[in-house]
């Protein structure tokens, strides 16, 4: 015959790791394919030919006899069309084998031409509850098999295999050891009957007087119960149950009562009498609701696990569908892992593909029907299975049940009471009857049951009224919680997010209503929900719909909707729709300063990419209007922090960071808090505190991660990865970015700064071409970001990677310098000038000196101590090239010591600079030394030629008559820095005030 033959083997009673290893080693020496099993079961070999399998069994037994415990070896062989059912059946055969036996099924024996030595053991039932089959023995022990036939029983014949549920079977076996009454409950089609029968079969040896199956599905009269039980067991019975109880009084038996729900009171009365009079009788019952008896152990049958559901579908379909794996997984999920539903769906594969079945689940009750001979009518369609439960409900229970269909994704008891007029007792009965699932204080209907209830709700004409009450309830919840957005967003989130699906359902109903005002109010109240779980695009869809339902509205509600849209769009579509500008105009018209302040921050975000000063002016006005409103004030201050960081005005930045970070974190505004902490960490890195920077970077990520929003989490991860790279933790940085890379590659997500961060990681890994490729889109001269400040952030790094592989980076650096000057980005300007200086060292050392000292001056003036190290290294290169090796050694030694002291890594293209063992100069001493030893190419110590470019700019503005604050605002520096520059100018020029300076300038 066709198919495959499997050989399963185990040591009887031995499950230790050494025993498994010993047997696996023996099996590995045999011909045949050795299965690698995820469940860690005993070894299984697969053969194309039954004769080869039998020969291998003989060889394995001979080999096993030479090692300890060899005489305990059990072997089973079975032939089937495919491997999975063959393995499962062979293991059932193995379970009834005695130590030392080798058993074959008749199908295997028929596949072997040589049946010499085989002993016919007769017909036996295995514990998978299939039909009895002929079993043969190769070893001739003639010991009676431990099959179901050794115990009196009438367990039903199952025509399909038992798939999965091994965890539940094991747990039920334990439960039945300590409880005389175990009731399996669950909705129709959940597999109660099959699980109970399988458990009874595997425990049959415990009850020497039998395991008796009693099907009560057709019983409608309580008085019939004793008769049906007696008939199943083969006992005498008369009116009442006294005679039956007398016959069972001394018996040790298990009675399985299947389908008790339609006569649950009568079954409970019978079981109570049974337990009172028959102390060694145990009962395993299946029912859609408990029997409510003392000592009853209630076992709620769970849905199949995803892998079990998939295995059931594929096995019932009779074939694998490798190209349809995603569709099959979706079918299993949408059918809630309900075995009956999965079997009915699998039955459709003869005419439909899995993809067509998945699409057909929109009408699952029409699709999932099948006329199967020998199967009860209530199990032939999915709807009929649930009809059975629905018809058993009282009218009040039916009303509540169908109204619960309006809830999506679970609900609370308070919500059910408000929307459906739930009475606790009625609701409890629905839970007991397995129509409502209780989980940790919340409740839900399985999706299949919810769709059924929704159909009944529509039939009753109650859908619109119930959905309206559902909307009203969740609108009240959302509007009551809304004030928390200004003071405690964590509390708001805890109250709103568990009901995300209900809010979505309420929104969709409210926005479609003839009078959509309540839907618009709900959209406005829920605005921050869409900043969580990466659902921004969905959120702006709802908010845009709500806005355009009343496009001419000039009310506060419209302004709130525009604000909600703008806050969500900030991270997903900042340029798609000018909600912030429209909202600012409306808030101004309404005279609402709080909203004006919030909108000013959002408008400033829009200006941020192209006009820093305009963005700053908008946030300054926003801070003024915010007054005591912390949410509005912090939104504006957060953007000011970003601007001050880009301008490298770190002395002004720190006080704002302290002010903003504490307020944002305490109020639960995680998104902006993460941004502020990220800015703070970058400031610390720039100003010489890289280890503290990493700590702040970790705090920024911790603040963002609960939002589960790839924009904010991506930004925080990218910043932390950058800091880790700079501090020598390259592999940690790469691992940190791995989930975001997978998200971008598999889901097409646009992860912020991904190119920049991966370019940096590639550069520090010595992968210079990859570094250039990662940033290509952002720095393209014709790209969407070409005229923004973004390329300026990347071009110095791109140039460094190009130079590392010998490519000309001149044009790239010229563009970097131009953009850095346009947007006043001191650190990036210094980076570009420093690289230009290094490029000029060989051919134009004088030009190189000017460029390198310009970069050094910028870094010193702005407190960029981390980057001063790079200036010292560049100047050491210059000194070595211009025959000043002693100067080069002193500068390189100081730079190396500073890197070590600050905890900074050394880049892969770092120049090989000679250093000394002498005590190094401090960073400040090294800067002073570099300036003193500039030599003939350096500036004189006095006179106009001694002034730095920045000092010359200060002089020009001072002579024009600008005050120190005005000069600082023009040059983006603090008034204290301006004062220091003027003091240096006065000393170098030998003047004492502005008047003398102006006179000298004119002369």
């Amino acid at each position: 015959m066709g198919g495959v033959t499997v050989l399963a083997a185990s040591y009887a009673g031995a499950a230790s790791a050494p025993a498994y290893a010993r047997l696996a080693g023996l099996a590995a020496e045999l011909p045949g394919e050795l299965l690698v099993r995820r469940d860690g079961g005993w070894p299984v070999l697969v053969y194309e030919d039954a004769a080869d399998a039998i020969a291998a069994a003989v060889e394995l037994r001979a080999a096993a006899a030479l090692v300890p415990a060899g005489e305990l070896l059990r072997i089973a062989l079975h032939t089937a069309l495919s491997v999975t059912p063959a393995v499962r059946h062979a293991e059932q055969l193995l379970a009834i084998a005695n130590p030392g036996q080798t058993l074959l099924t008749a199908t295997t024996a028929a596949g072997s031409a040589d049946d010499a030595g085989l002993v016919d053991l007769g017909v036996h039932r295995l514990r998978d509850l299939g039909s009895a089959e002929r079993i043969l023995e190769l070893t001739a022990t003639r010991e009676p098999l431990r099959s179901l036939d050794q115990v009196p029983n009438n367990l039903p014949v199952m025509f399909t295999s038992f798939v999965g549920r091994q965890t539940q079977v094991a747990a039920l076996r334990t439960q039945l050891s300590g409880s005389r009454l175990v009731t399996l409950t669950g909705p129709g089609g959940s597999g109660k009957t099959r699980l109970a029968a399988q458990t009874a079969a595997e425990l049959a040896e415990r009850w020497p007087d039998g395991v008796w199956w009693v099907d009560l599905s057709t019983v409608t009269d309580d008085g019939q119960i004793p008769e049906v039980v007696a008939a199943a067991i083969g006992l005498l019975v008369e009116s009442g149950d006294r005679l039956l109880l007398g016959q069972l009084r001394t018996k040790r038996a298990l009675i399985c009562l299947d389908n008790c729900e339609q006569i649950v009171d009568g079954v409970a009365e019978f079981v109570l009498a049974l337990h009172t009079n028959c102390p060694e009788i145990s009962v395993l019952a299946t029912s859609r609701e408990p029997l409510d008896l003392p000592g009853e152990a209630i076992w709620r049958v769970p849905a199949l696990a995803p892998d079990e559901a998939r295995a059931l579908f594929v096995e019932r379909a009779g074939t694998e569908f490798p190209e349809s794996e995603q569709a099959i997984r979706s079918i299993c999920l949408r059918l809630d892992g309900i075995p009956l539903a999965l079997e009915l769906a699998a039955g459709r594969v003869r005419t439909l593909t899995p993809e067509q079945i998945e699409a057909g689940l929109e009408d699952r009750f029409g699709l999932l029907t099948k006329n199967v001979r020998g199967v009860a009518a209530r199990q032939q369609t999915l709807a009929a299975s649930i009809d059975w439960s629905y018809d058993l409900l009282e009218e009040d229970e039916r009303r509540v049940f169908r109204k619960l269909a309006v809830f999506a994704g679970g609900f609370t008891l308070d919500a059910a009471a408000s929307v459906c007029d739930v009475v606790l007792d009625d609701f409890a009965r629905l839970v007991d009857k397995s129509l409502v699932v209780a989980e940790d204080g919340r409740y839900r209907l399985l999706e299949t049951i919810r769709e059924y209830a929704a159909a009944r709700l529509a039939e009753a004409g109650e859908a619109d009224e119930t959905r309206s009450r559902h909307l009203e309830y969740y609108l009240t919840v959302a509007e009551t919680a809304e004030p928390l957005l200004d003071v405690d967003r964590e509390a708001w989130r805890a109250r709103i997010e568990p009901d995300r699906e209900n809010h979505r359902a309420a929104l969709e109903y409210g926005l479609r209503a003839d009078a959509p005002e309540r839907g618009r109010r709900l959209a406005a109240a829920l605005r921050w929900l869409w900043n969580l779980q990466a659902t921004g695009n969905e959120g702006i869809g709802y908010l845009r719909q709500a806005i355009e339902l009343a496009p001419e509205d000039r009310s506060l509600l419209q302004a709130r909707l525009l604000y909600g849209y703008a806050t969500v769009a900030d991270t997903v579509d900042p340029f798609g729709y000018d909600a912030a500008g429209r909202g600012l105009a409306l808030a101004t018209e309404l005279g609402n300063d709080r909203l004006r302040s919030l909108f000013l921050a959002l408008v400033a975000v829009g200006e941020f990419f192209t006009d820093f000063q305009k963005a700053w002016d908008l946030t300054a006005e926003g801070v003024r209007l915010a007054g005591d409103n912390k949410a509005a004030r912090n939104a504006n201050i957060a953007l000011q922090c970003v601007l001050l960081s880009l301008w490298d005005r770190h002395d002004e930045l720190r006080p704002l960071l302290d002010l903003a970070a504490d307020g944002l974190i305490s109020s639960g505004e995680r998104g902006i808090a993460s941004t502020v902490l990220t800015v703070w960490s970058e400031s610390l890195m720039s100003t010489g505190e890289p280890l503290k920077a990493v700590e702040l970077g970790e705090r920024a990520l911790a603040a963002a991660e609960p939002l589960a929003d790839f924009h904010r989490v991506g930004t925080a991860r990218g910043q932390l990865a950058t800091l880790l790279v700079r501090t020598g933790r390259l592999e940690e940085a790469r691992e940190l970015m791995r989930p975001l890379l997978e998200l971008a590659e598999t889901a097409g997500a646009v992860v912020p700064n991904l190119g920049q961060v991966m370019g940096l990681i590639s550069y520090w890994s010595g992968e210079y071409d990859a570094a250039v490729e990662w940033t290509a889109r952002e720095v393209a001269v014709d790209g969407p970001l070409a005229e923004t400040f973004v390329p300026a952030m990347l071009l110095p790094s791109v140039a460094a990677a190009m130079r590392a592989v010998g490519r000309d980076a001149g044009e790239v650096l010229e563009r970097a310098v131009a953009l850095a000057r346009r947007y006043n980005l001191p650190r990036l300007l210094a980076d570009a000038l420093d690289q230009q200086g290094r490029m000029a060292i060989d051919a134009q050392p004088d030009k190189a000196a000017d460029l390198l000292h310009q970069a050094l001056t910028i870094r010193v003036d702005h407190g960029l101590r981390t980057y001063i190290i790079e200036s010292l290294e560049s100047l050491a290169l210059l000194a070595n090239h211009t025959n000043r090796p002693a100067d080069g050694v002193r500068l390189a030694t100081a730079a190396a010591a500073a890197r070590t002291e600050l905890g900074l890594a050394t880049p892969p293209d770092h120049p090989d600079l000679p250093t000394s063992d002498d005590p190094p100069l401090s960073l400040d001493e090294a800067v002073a030394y570099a300036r003193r030893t500039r030599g003939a190419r350096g500036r004189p110590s006095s006179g106009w030629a001694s002034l730095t470019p920045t000092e010359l700019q200060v002089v020009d503005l001072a002579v024009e008559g600008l005050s120190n604050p005005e000069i600082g605002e023009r040059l983006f520096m603090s008034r204290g820095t301006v004062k220091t520059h003027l003091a240096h100018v006065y000393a170098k020029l030998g003047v004492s005030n502005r008047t003398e300076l102006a006179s000298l300038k004119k002369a």
Side-chain angles (χ1 to χ4, degrees):
M1 63 175 294
V4 296
T5 300
V6 300
L7 183 160
S10 71
Y11 283 123
S16 66
Y20 174 86
R22 184 163 58 246
L23 187 53
L26 292 173
E29 298 297 321
L30 297 173
E33 178 189 355
L34 182 62
L35 287 185
V36 178
R37 308 179 63 195
R38 288 187 301 173
D39 61 4
W42 289 100
V44 171
L45 290 161
V46 181
Y47 295 88
E48 295 294 328
D49 186 89
D52 292 341
I54 294 172
V58 173
E59 186 176 344
L60 178 61
R61 181 162 294 286
L66 302 177
V67 299
E71 69 281 6
L72 298 179
L73 187 67
R74 298 181 299 180
I75 299 176
L77 299 102
H78 176 62
T79 303
L81 293 176
S82 59
V83 173
T84 299
V87 171
R88 186 182 296 122
H89 202 73
E91 290 186 331
Q92 289 291 333
L93 186 61
L94 202 63
I96 69 168
N98 293 292
Q101 281 187 317
T102 297
L103 303 182
L104 294 75
T105 59
T107 55
T108 302
S112 173
D114 183 8
D115 62 356
L118 296 181
V119 178
D120 188 342
L121 300 182
V123 174
H124 295 266
R125 282 192 75 191
L126 306 185
R127 292 193 176 112
D128 62 359
L129 294 175
S131 299
E133 59 185 300
R134 188 165 299 280
I135 307 297
L136 298 98
E137 183 180 359
L138 182 62
T139 43
T141 64
R142 299 182 182 275
E143 292 188 44
L145 299 181
R146 296 180 298 133
S147 65
L148 280 179
D149 305 280
Q150 299 301 307
V151 176
N153 76 88
N154 68 334
L155 288 170
V157 174
M158 300 295 180
F159 296 100
T160 55
S161 57
F162 182 75
V163 178
R165 300 271 201 211
Q166 294 306 317
T167 301
Q168 283 81 41
V169 170
L172 276 170
R173 291 176 62 159
T174 302
Q175 188 76 66
L176 276 165
S177 297
S179 302
R180 290 181 60 207
L181 169 61
V182 176
T183 303
L184 305 187
T185 66
S190 61
K192 300 182 296 297
T193 294
R194 192 60 190 270
L195 179 57
Q198 188 65 40
T199 302
E202 295 197 14
L203 289 177
E205 293 173 342
R206 286 191 190 175
W207 286 281
D209 292 315
V211 175
W212 305 106
W213 190 263
V214 184
D215 182 3
L216 298 174
S217 60
T218 60
V219 178
T220 58
D221 183 345
D222 293 353
Q224 294 178 297
I225 296 173
E227 298 174 19
V228 175
V229 172
I233 302 176
L235 299 176
L236 300 174
V237 70
E238 58 185 24
S239 179
D241 56 16
R242 182 174 302 175
L243 178 59
L244 174 62
L245 296 176
Q247 295 173 85
L248 292 174
R249 190 180 305 278
T250 60
K251 302 292 186 183
R252 292 176 58 197
L254 175 68
I255 297 177
C256 304
L257 302 175
D258 188 35
N259 295 306
C260 302
E261 53 270 3
Q262 80 281 7
I263 48 168
V264 67
D265 292 337
V267 171
E269 184 179 339
F270 173 76
V271 171
L272 184 61
L274 196 63
H275 277 183
T276 301
N277 294 278
C278 307
E280 294 189 283
I281 295 291
S282 294
V283 173
L284 179 60
T286 75
S287 176
R288 301 191 187 190
E289 61 179 299
L291 303 184
D292 280 337
L293 287 175
E296 179 184 22
I298 301 169
W299 184 273
R300 300 193 184 279
V301 177
L304 288 172
D307 286 345
E308 293 177 334
R310 179 200 170 279
L312 179 66
F313 179 90
V314 169
E315 188 155 321
R316 296 298 189 262
T319 184
E320 292 275 357
F321 300 91
E323 73 286 353
S324 300
E325 183 65 24
Q326 184 174 350
I328 291 172
R329 294 281 182 184
S330 176
I331 291 168
C332 295
L333 178 66
R334 294 179 63 187
L335 292 178
D336 305 300
I338 298 174
L340 173 62
L342 291 167
E343 294 194 2
L344 292 171
R348 288 293 186 184
V349 299
R350 283 182 280 180
T351 52
L352 301 175
T353 66
E355 287 77 10
Q356 289 174 317
I357 294 171
E358 180 191 17
L361 291 182
E362 296 301 325
D363 178 23
R364 66 187 65 195
F365 295 110
L367 176 72
L368 302 183
T369 63
K370 188 176 181 183
N371 184 17
V372 182
R373 294 182 180 89
V375 175
R378 60 187 172 82
Q379 294 178 319
Q380 292 187 4
T381 74
L382 188 60
S385 176
I386 306 175
D387 280 339
W388 173 264
S389 294
Y390 187 70
D391 291 342
L392 293 174
L393 298 177
E394 301 293 335
E395 183 53 42
D396 286 346
E397 295 170 345
R398 291 180 191 173
R399 177 184 54 79
V400 170
F401 168 67
R402 59 182 179 253
K403 287 188 174 185
L404 291 174
V406 299
F407 291 106
F411 52 90
T412 63
L413 187 57
D414 179 68
S418 297
V419 176
C420 307
D421 295 324
V422 161
V423 176
L424 183 58
D425 288 346
D426 290 340
F427 188 75
R429 284 194 290 273
L430 291 175
V431 173
D432 285 343
K433 294 176 180 180
S434 306
L435 292 170
V436 175
V437 179
E439 296 174 329
D440 299 324
R442 288 179 61 84
Y443 305 88
R444 67 183 176 94
L445 275 63
L446 296 179
E447 188 57 30
T448 297
I449 291 177
R450 191 172 83 88
E451 289 195 18
Y452 176 92
R456 303 289 80 77
L457 185 68
E459 287 176 1
E462 300 166 337
D464 194 60
E465 177 194 355
T466 310
R467 293 192 184 282
S468 179
R469 294 182 65 174
H470 179 268
L471 168 61
E472 189 65 32
Y473 176 80
Y474 285 104
L475 175 60
T476 300
V477 169
E479 290 186 334
T480 302
E482 193 174 9
L484 289 172
L485 288 173
D486 284 343
V487 294
D488 189 349
R489 294 202 173 193
E490 294 299 305
W492 184 91
R493 179 183 174 203
R495 188 173 302 181
I496 298 297
E497 194 172 25
D499 277 302
R500 176 186 287 269
E501 298 299 321
N502 280 308
H503 289 300
R504 180 184 284 117
L507 260 179
E508 291 175 353
Y509 175 79
L511 294 176
R512 289 197 312 266
D514 293 337
E517 185 75 2
R518 289 187 300 167
R520 297 180 73 231
R521 285 166 52 197
L522 182 58
L526 291 176
R527 61 185 180 275
W528 199 66
L529 181 63
W530 316 110
N531 285 310
L532 307 172
Q533 306 297 334
T535 51
N537 284 312
E538 180 185 8
I540 61 176
Y542 287 128
L543 288 157
R544 182 75 175 267
Q545 182 182 356
I547 291 166
E548 294 182 351
L549 281 170
E552 304 304 320
D553 182 23
R554 307 300 292 170
S555 69
L556 180 61
L557 174 58
Q558 188 79 335
R560 291 171 58 224
L561 287 168
L562 288 164
Y563 173 65
Y565 185 101
T567 57
V568 180
D570 174 38
T571 59
V572 292
D573 186 24
F575 305 116
Y577 179 70
D578 187 23
R582 290 181 58 187
L584 178 58
L586 181 52
T588 302
E589 178 184 318
L590 295 170
N592 189 312
D593 284 351
R594 174 183 174 278
L595 267 179
R596 284 179 65 198
S597 175
L598 291 168
F599 275 119
L600 282 166
L602 292 166
V603 172
V605 170
E607 298 291 345
F608 172 72
F609 286 90
T610 55
D611 192 333
F612 284 178
Q613 187 58 50
K614 188 172 182 181
W616 178 271
D617 293 341
L618 289 166
T619 58
E621 177 66 6
V623 171
R624 186 186 69 80
L625 290 173
D628 295 333
N629 189 280
K630 292 182 179 180
R633 182 201 64 186
N634 288 336
N636 285 281
I637 287 178
L639 187 54
Q640 288 186 335
C641 289
V642 176
L643 289 166
L644 289 172
S645 177
L646 290 169
W647 285 329
D648 288 304
R649 290 158 61 176
H650 300 282
D651 53 345
E652 298 172 61
L653 172 61
R654 296 297 170 80
L656 282 185
L657 289 170
D658 281 328
L659 178 66
D662 289 343
L664 290 164
I665 294 172
S666 64
S667 66
E669 176 47 285
R670 289 183 174 273
I672 301 178
S674 176
T675 299
V676 169
L677 290 168
T678 295
V679 169
W680 197 342
S681 70
E682 185 62 32
S683 175
L684 288 167
M685 171 58 78
S686 296
T687 55
E689 299 182 85
L691 300 183
K692 286 187 178 179
V694 172
E695 292 179 11
L696 263 292
E698 291 169 343
R699 283 181 60 192
L701 181 56
E705 280 190 322
L707 300 176
D709 173 355
F710 66 78
H711 181 94
R712 291 174 176 82
V713 173
T715 299
R717 276 182 177 256
Q719 173 63 12
L720 181 55
T722 298
L723 300 172
L724 292 174
V725 167
R726 296 296 304 273
T727 52
R729 297 158 66 179
L730 185 59
E731 287 309 310
E732 289 180 60
R734 196 185 299 276
E735 193 62 31
L736 191 67
M737 295 302 292
R738 194 180 307 281
L740 298 178
L741 279 173
E742 293 173 355
L743 188 64
E745 291 169 0
T746 60
V750 180
V751 180
N753 304 327
L754 182 62
Q756 178 180 349
V757 179
M758 293 309 302
L760 184 72
I761 291 174
S762 298
Y763 170 75
W764 281 75
S765 301
E767 302 164 355
Y768 303 116
D769 289 330
V772 174
E773 291 174 10
W774 269 111
T775 55
R777 180 181 180 276
E778 285 84 353
V779 301
V781 293
D782 57 351
L785 303 174
E787 296 306 315
T788 70
F789 75 95
V790 173
M793 307 288 291
L794 305 177
L795 287 169
S797 297
V798 172
M802 293 173 66
R803 290 179 53 241
V805 292
R807 293 171 58 184
D808 181 14
E811 290 186 5
V812 171
L813 287 171
E814 286 178 7
R815 184 178 170 213
V817 168
L819 285 170
R821 291 192 189 280
R822 181 194 305 175
Y823 288 100
N824 187 30
L825 303 169
R827 178 176 68 81
L828 297 165
L829 175 60
D831 289 349
L833 292 172
D834 189 84
Q835 289 199 55
Q836 285 183 325
R838 289 196 184 194
M839 288 173 60
I841 285 176
D842 290 338
Q844 299 173 287
D846 288 342
K847 179 181 179 182
D850 286 338
L851 290 167
L852 294 177
H853 277 279
Q854 283 184 53
L856 176 62
T857 297
I858 292 170
R859 287 165 170 169
V860 171
D861 287 350
H862 291 84
L864 304 175
R865 297 181 68 79
T866 295
Y867 299 96
I868 288 173
I869 296 172
E870 295 178 9
S871 280
L872 296 179
E873 291 164 344
S874 297
L875 289 167
L877 280 172
L878 177 64
N880 291 335
H881 185 75
T882 54
N883 298 316
R884 294 183 290 121
D887 292 343
V889 167
R890 295 199 75 181
L891 294 175
T893 301
R899 278 193 183 277
T900 301
E901 180 186 353
L902 298 182
L904 292 167
T906 302
D909 61 340
H910 188 268
D912 186 14
L913 296 168
T915 59
S916 75
D917 295 330
D918 295 336
L921 298 174
S922 70
L923 208 54
D924 293 332
E925 289 170 338
V927 169
Y929 181 82
R931 286 173 164 172
R932 282 199 314 273
T933 58
R934 185 171 178 183
R937 286 176 282 279
R939 295 188 182 89
S941 59
S942 63
W944 288 107
S946 69
L947 300 187
T948 68
T950 302
E951 289 168 348
L952 287 170
Q953 287 181 298
V954 172
V955 168
D956 288 339
L957 295 175
V959 170
E960 286 181 25
L962 274 67
S963 66
N964 285 5
E966 290 170 333
I967 294 172
E969 186 173 350
R970 183 75 62 87
L971 297 181
F972 305 106
M973 62 179 66
S974 69
R975 66 180 67 185
T977 302
V978 175
K979 184 177 180 181
T980 299
H981 281 309
L982 283 173
H984 290 163
V985 168
Y986 294 162
K988 291 176 181 180
L989 298 181
V991 299
S992 58
N993 56 50
R994 286 175 179 249
T995 303
E996 292 178 9
L997 178 63
S999 298
L1000 186 61
K1001 176 74 172 173
K1002 291 175 182 178

